[in-house]
Amino acid sequence: MLRFSPIVGLLGLLLAAPAVEAASSSFDLVGPRLDVSVVRDGVTLPLERVPNLAEGDHISVKLAPLAGHDEHYRLIAVFLRGAVDRPGKDWFREAESWREKNASLSLVVPKDAQQMALFIVPERGGGANAVISAVRKQPGAFVRAAQELNQASLDRARLDTFLLEMQRAERKNPESLAAVSPVLTRSLAVKLKAECLAQPTEVQSACLTGDRETLLLADTHSSALADTLAGAPTDLAFQLSATPQAGYGSYSSYIGVVRDLFRMFGAFQSTQLQFIPALAQQRNGTVTVLLNTPVSFAKPTSVIVVALPAIEAPKPPPLRQPLPATMLCAAPGVILPVEGAPLVYATGYAHDMVLRLKRLDGTQAEMPVRADPSLGGFVATGDIPFGPFGPVISAQLHGAWGFSSFDGPSYVLTKPGDGTWKATDRTALVVGRSNELQLSGGSAGCVTKIGLRRGDGAVEPLSWKQSATHGIVATVPLEQSEPGTVSIVIEEKGVATPTELPLRALQQAGSVDELSFHAGDDQATLTGTRLDQVIGVTLGTLAFQPGALTRVGKQDRVALQAANPASAMALAAGTTLPADISYVGGRHKSLSVTIAPHRVSATLLRVTARAPVRDGALPITLPGTAVFAQDARLTFAFHLNDAPPLSGRESIEIGTVDGRTSTMVAAGKGYDLQDAKTGIVSINPAEALGPTAYGALRFRIASDGAGSSWTPLATVVRLPEIHTISCAARKVCKLSGNRFFLIEAVGTNAEMQPSQAIPDGFVATEITTRASAEGRIYLRLRDAPEATATVAAP
């Protein structure tokens, strides 16, 4: 924390000399006015812009007495080297304000000088020799006085700025004091009386600024040191003031040192001179001398002591960005928050401040800014300069600190209306709870308000915060809402019309109990509730599509088919992968899945089918032993591999490869045992799986809720009904019947070259085609295009 002294300590205790103990500590008496300018390297600045002097500086000082007063003053300047070094007489210069040829001082800062002080003495107080003699006798006391008076003037500047800003806010809008005062206290390191904000509006300002002597922040260690030094002898106080514990005099917060130092001033009193401290109030290019005791023109005559900035290397302000992760809006009036240096607000030391913005081509553009303590930072005073800029603009504060340039903190800005707002892929609104809604794609730094509109109702304000470069997170309360459409209303600087983003408020998603996947499989099983809302699953990098949903008690079960079966079957047992479950409406759930060991497997021994008898229909011959009619009686035998023996208590699950439908065959109902390793199963696919089941089938052994791995079984096809075939000359044949839409094409050979395509949705009852030389017609069936069926022509 920066160490500052209470104004009561610095301003009141400076007058600890017995002759002025009863004087006021408010420094509200206006003394003479000084015009002080400094020239360095050809550049001239008024003193109010000079935080430090340097060797070789040319300093011009002119004394301008108060208007209407005819008293003449003598101006004496001295350069001080250190606490134990007596300044030479050539380091003193005198000016007589009433003499035109000697009314001002023109000085050059000599080598090794560390401090500079001015003494203002009434003409009738005598010549400069008495002042010079007092300084040369004990120069350390005046070194300390210069340090402390300079710091006290800076503290007074902070306090004056605070009071001025409070009065300005009160005149503009008394209701704003509660919001402005905390910002001012942070900007200027001033103590906030929080209890004042609980008072009526009309008395808040008086309460906040009434006890002004206690407003500036103090240091607890310095207060303890002040208590130790209170009442100590002058020489002891002076010795202690040069210790590390007292900060070598570099902090005016060591009140005790200041108090006893000016008791030492009392020791310098003589029958001729009385030294009194003065603060330098620097405004509008001039220095006004503020006193806390009237000037005495009688013996002993008052000598006003004024300190100038220390002669040292420049120390740029330690400005920092209090919210480094916050995006700002590149719009007129943008506020650049800063902390760490109250003097940028209370003095003119920081000047010619600009914000440097980086263009896309690497060049820089500058935008003027000014410090505003009521806003807690620098505010842009002009329009955003010409671009082109990218969607994210890098910028840095830059300016001058006295004669030296310095770089302040860096900022990141976004442009108004840059991009389109949308809800992120993994964000959804769910009724019955409060939702964290993530929005992205727009200009986060330019958002001023976020609201919620239900239906055509009024906009309700929402709490929100920035998230990354182009994102915001808003809290959307939907505890008492019904499912339906709501709108998120986004207001931005520089955008006249708010953005309305319609979103669906959904019912609570179902639960996920388990995602089961075994090594060597190409299918997974998802169990839970409301799984009808699942639209996709990824396991690691593998995608799965949900198949048919079945219910077992109150639990849903969905078979998931891998989009890339070969990659799925290569997954090793024991591997743990993240799984992401996607729901309708953009919702997601995540869980961790460990690949289970290989399951029990079975080997298909043989499969046969007894062709159905179709009255009035011609027989259709299917190729090979792996394709069967859907309404045939299918019988197959399997052998159990490396597993406990078959008991008959297990069931055989048969289903389509795509997971659309399945059936369980129990012992005595189509499932029989040859022995403990061999099973026999007989089913009618059309009856067991339904009239629309077709394509590749597979089976597995199910026992106690667990199943073996799937084993390919056969392919079943739906057959058209061909009632008659009549052929004329040249083998042109006419087929009559029903369900010809199950035929994809007809041809005269097994290669189907040439072939005649049957249109989609064909519902006619006749087809005209040609027969082969041996009197057969070839059919490509839609349920198994890779297998060609035949029918004999008469």
Side-chain angles (χ1 to χ4, degrees):
M1 181 183 77
L2 294 178
R3 307 166 95 173
F4 298 103
S5 63
I7 203 70
V8 64
L10 272 176
L11 306 187
L13 298 180
L14 289 177
L15 291 180
V20 291
E21 283 180 349
S24 167
S25 63
S26 60
F27 282 81
D28 56 357
L29 301 177
V30 178
R33 181 170 55 84
L34 296 168
D35 293 325
V36 184
S37 61
V38 182
V39 180
R40 184 183 303 172
D41 298 329
V43 178
T44 303
L45 292 178
L47 187 66
E48 67 178 315
R49 289 195 171 187
V50 181
N52 68 284
L53 299 174
E55 178 185 335
D57 282 354
H58 291 257
I59 305 172
S60 174
V61 185
K62 184 176 181 180
L63 181 65
L66 291 175
H69 293 253
D70 57 1
E71 185 65 36
H72 294 164
Y73 290 90
R74 193 181 308 277
L75 179 63
I76 304 168
V78 61
F79 293 102
L80 302 168
R81 196 178 353 244
V84 294
D85 291 326
R86 297 175 61 187
K89 290 186 177 181
D90 58 335
W91 279 19
F92 291 85
R93 291 285 300 276
E94 177 187 6
E96 297 171 332
S97 61
W98 65 93
R99 300 185 189 277
E100 184 177 349
K101 291 185 178 181
N102 192 30
S104 62
L105 296 174
S106 181
L107 311 169
V108 177
V109 177
K111 183 179 180 181
D112 296 329
Q114 298 177 10
Q115 301 289 335
M116 179 180 177
L118 299 175
F119 301 92
I120 303 173
V121 188
E123 176 194 6
R124 67 186 66 181
N129 289 335
V131 174
I132 296 173
S133 176
V135 174
R136 296 192 74 228
K137 283 181 180 178
Q138 297 221 23
F142 291 94
V143 169
R144 175 69 66 200
Q147 292 171 343
E148 297 297 342
L149 285 174
N150 183 49
Q151 185 63 54
S153 296
L154 298 178
D155 290 348
R156 172 61 180 257
R158 290 193 293 124
L159 180 57
D160 287 347
T161 303
F162 175 74
L163 298 176
L164 180 65
E165 292 293 336
M166 288 292 292
Q167 293 165 2
R168 182 178 296 155
E170 184 181 30
R171 288 193 301 268
K172 186 176 180 180
N173 179 15
E175 301 289 343
S176 68
L177 288 177
V180 171
S181 54
V183 180
L184 286 173
T185 58
R186 289 193 300 271
S187 300
L188 296 164
V190 171
K191 190 182 302 180
L192 175 65
K193 302 175 188 175
E195 64 273 12
C196 291
L197 300 180
Q199 300 294 325
T201 302
E202 59 271 14
V203 298
Q204 285 181 5
S205 178
C207 177
L208 286 165
T209 61
D211 190 10
R212 50 193 265 168
E213 295 177 340
T214 65
L215 287 177
L216 292 181
L217 296 180
D219 182 84
T220 54
H221 173 71
S222 67
S223 299
L225 184 61
D227 295 339
T228 301
L229 293 178
T234 298
D235 56 349
L236 174 61
F238 180 72
Q239 293 171 22
L240 287 176
S241 70
T243 65
Q245 291 79 9
Y248 298 106
S250 54
Y251 296 107
S252 64
S253 53
Y254 294 104
I255 307 302
V257 175
V258 178
R259 174 185 298 151
D260 287 308
L261 175 61
F262 279 87
R263 287 181 180 172
M264 183 175 63
F265 258 115
F268 298 151
Q269 307 306 331
S270 67
T271 57
Q272 291 185 342
L273 302 177
Q274 173 188 329
F275 291 91
I276 63 174
L279 300 185
Q281 185 182 68
Q282 303 179 41
R283 289 180 183 171
N284 303 321
T286 63
V287 179
T288 300
V289 174
L290 300 179
L291 306 172
N292 71 338
T293 187
V295 175
S296 171
F297 297 96
K299 299 296 185 180
T301 305
S302 296
V303 178
I304 303 171
V305 184
V306 182
L308 268 66
I311 303 167
E312 60 186 3
K315 298 176 181 178
L319 296 178
R320 61 179 179 271
Q321 221 284 46
L323 302 170
T326 300
M327 301 290 296
L328 303 178
C329 185
V334 58
I335 299 170
L336 310 169
V338 295
E339 286 183 351
L343 293 184
V344 300
Y345 302 110
T347 69
Y349 294 164
H351 56 94
D352 297 320
M353 300 297 298
V354 296
L355 182 66
R356 288 180 171 173
L357 301 95
K358 190 174 182 180
R359 296 189 179 101
L360 280 174
D361 60 4
T363 60
Q364 290 184 334
E366 292 187 350
M367 178 170 59
V369 296
R370 62 175 176 83
D372 190 329
S374 66
L375 298 175
F378 286 84
V379 59
T381 58
D383 294 334
I384 300 298
F386 175 75
F389 298 106
V392 177
I393 305 173
S394 298
Q396 187 174 26
L397 199 62
H398 178 81
W401 183 253
F403 290 97
S404 304
S405 63
F406 78 100
D407 290 321
S410 297
Y411 301 87
V412 180
L413 295 85
T414 55
K415 295 186 294 183
D418 187 24
T420 302
W421 288 106
K422 64 179 181 179
T424 58
D425 292 340
R426 296 182 177 272
T427 299
L429 297 179
V430 179
V431 299
R433 71 183 189 191
S434 181
N435 299 260
E436 291 294 314
L437 176 63
Q438 298 185 10
L439 302 173
S440 65
S443 179
C446 295
V447 174
T448 56
K449 291 181 182 179
I450 303 289
L452 171 69
R453 190 193 305 277
R454 308 172 197 258
D456 56 358
V459 177
E460 308 168 26
L462 299 178
S463 60
W464 61 280
K465 61 183 179 181
Q466 287 189 21
S467 174
T469 304
H470 290 285
I472 55 178
V473 177
T475 300
V476 184
L478 296 176
E479 290 87 348
Q480 306 300 322
S481 298
E482 296 294 328
T485 301
V486 298
S487 294
I488 303 299
V489 182
I490 305 170
E491 296 185 25
E492 299 182 56
K493 294 178 183 177
V495 179
T497 304
T499 299
E500 289 214 22
L501 181 63
L503 296 173
R504 290 282 298 172
L506 306 171
Q507 286 281 13
Q508 179 71 36
S511 63
V512 174
D513 297 332
E514 183 184 22
L515 177 59
S516 174
F517 182 80
H518 288 263
D521 284 2
D522 61 359
Q523 264 199 352
T525 301
L526 185 66
T527 56
T529 60
R530 295 301 309 273
L531 298 186
D532 57 309
Q533 301 179 26
V534 175
I535 59 175
V537 175
T538 59
L539 182 61
T541 59
L542 294 174
F544 290 78
Q545 288 299 318
L549 181 146
T550 58
R551 292 190 62 82
V552 180
K554 295 183 178 180
Q555 189 180 63
D556 292 347
R557 180 176 295 176
V558 174
L560 304 172
Q561 180 62 46
N564 188 339
S567 297
M569 296 174 68
L571 293 176
T575 304
T576 299
L577 297 172
D580 180 79
I581 303 166
S582 305
Y583 292 83
V584 294
R587 290 170 291 180
H588 291 258
K589 285 191 176 181
S590 300
L591 68 158
S592 182
V593 176
T594 300
I595 308 301
H598 281 76
R599 294 189 285 189
V600 174
S601 63
T603 300
L604 180 67
L605 298 178
R606 59 185 53 84
V607 57
T608 62
R610 185 171 70 247
V613 177
R614 301 185 180 91
D615 294 337
L618 298 176
I620 297 176
T621 303
L622 295 170
T625 58
V627 180
F628 304 96
Q630 182 198 47
D631 54 351
R633 189 69 186 177
L634 194 66
T635 302
F636 66 93
F638 68 87
H639 184 81
L640 188 63
N641 302 326
D642 302 325
L646 297 170
S647 65
R649 292 188 297 272
E650 61 277 345
S651 297
I652 308 304
E653 183 178 3
I654 302 171
T656 55
V657 169
D658 59 15
R660 287 183 295 110
T661 183
S662 65
T663 186
M664 303 293 286
V665 183
K669 297 183 179 181
Y671 168 44
D672 202 355
L673 295 180
Q674 170 184 301
D675 51 41
K677 288 291 185 179
T678 307
I680 310 296
V681 181
S682 180
I683 66 165
N684 182 310
E687 295 175 357
L689 299 174
T692 59
Y694 60 89
L697 300 183
R698 58 186 179 176
F699 75 93
R700 67 178 177 177
I701 303 165
S703 178
D704 298 327
S708 69
S709 59
W710 288 100
T711 300
L713 176 57
T715 299
V716 295
V717 295
R718 296 164 297 170
L719 297 177
E721 297 176 3
I722 302 176
H723 297 155
T724 62
I725 300 178
S726 58
C727 297
R730 299 185 180 180
K731 299 295 184 180
V732 175
C733 301
K734 180 182 293 184
L735 285 66
S736 300
N738 292 314
R739 305 181 77 196
F740 287 158
F741 56 82
L742 295 174
I743 303 173
E744 187 176 272
V746 294
T748 58
N749 54 51
E751 291 75 25
M752 301 296 290
Q753 294 295 332
S755 65
Q756 176 183 337
I758 304 302
D760 288 342
F762 187 79
V763 294
T765 58
E766 291 184 351
I767 296 176
T768 300
T769 186
R770 289 183 176 274
S772 65
E774 64 273 19
R776 304 192 67 82
I777 298 174
Y778 291 82
L779 309 175
R780 180 189 296 150
L781 301 176
R782 293 188 185 274
D783 291 351
E786 71 285 354
T788 305
T790 61
V791 61

